Amino acid sequence: MAVWFSADPHFGHENAIRFCNRPYASAEEMDAHILGRYRARVQPNDDFWILVDFAVGKVTNQERERLRQLFEQIPGKKHLITGNHDRPWVRRLQWDSVRDMAEILVDGRRVFLCHYPMITFPGARRKALQLFGHVHNNWQGTRNSVNVGVDVWDFQPVSLPEIEQRARMLPVNQYWDAVEPGCSL
């Protein structure tokens, strides 16, 4: 069983294409491509943490049904970390868990999950890693707080080793010494 992470697919959201400079002609094309990328990596018994915005919030009943069917095609045990666009109908999909934030252990590494980037978080002083979305392609993060959004990971889910590799290349947060004095990264 593997553990995967992603954020901000914005399924069905035409404006995400323009706002994030996504290379798609339509929301349907975007949805199909991201779903394909998810299905290429995530296996049925894997844990898949989506630090959402899963879909645009205001949609028709017909669009909700299309997005529900798309959701059902995503493999793995799906865990929702709610985002700012996740309306009640998104939270009512058949997620294996729904939380605002979560702290999990992956291969011995403490990982704190939130849709939003954080300067400090539980376990930060003990080499924990915070994963987030929300900012799309505006910021990749820092050495201990990494963006797992589709816009900065070629629209595919990522594993902890891939995230850790990128984290080593990111800068230390400029506020780290002020909020966590005495902690080196």
Side-chain angles (χ1 to χ4, degrees), residues 37-70:
R37 301 291 275 177
Y38 283 3
R39 292 175 61 84
R41 298 196 99 185
V42 179
Q43 298 301 305
N45 290 323
D46 293 348
D47 278 310
F48 188 17
W49 292 89
I50 306 177
L51 288 59
V52 202
D53 295 325
F54 179 75
V56 64
K58 296 178 182 178
V59 295
T60 65
N61 286 338
Q62 181 179 1
E63 182 67 1
R64 283 183 191 176
E65 178 57 23
R66 184 185 80 78
L67 293 169
R68 185 192 60 74
Q69 290 173 9
L70 182 146

Side-chain angles (χ1 to χ4, degrees), residues 11-24:
F11 290 116
H13 192 186
E14 291 282 344
N15 284 337
I17 296 168
R18 183 170 42 93
F19 294 155
C20 303
N21 198 29
R22 292 182 176 183
Y24 306 107

Side-chain angles (χ1 to χ4, degrees), residues 89-101:
W89 71 268
V90 170
R91 290 190 221 94
R92 285 191 299 267
L93 294 170
Q94 293 299 304
W95 299 95
D96 290 279
S97 68
V98 177
R99 301 184 230 178
D100 292 330
M101 293 180 264

Side-chain angles (χ1 to χ4, degrees), residues 1-3 5 104-111 159-161 164:
M1 173 187 87
V3 180
F5 303 93
I104 62 173
L105 196 62
V106 180
D107 299 330
R109 179 93 186 246
R110 195 171 174 187
V111 181
S159 66
L160 186 60
E164 290 173 325

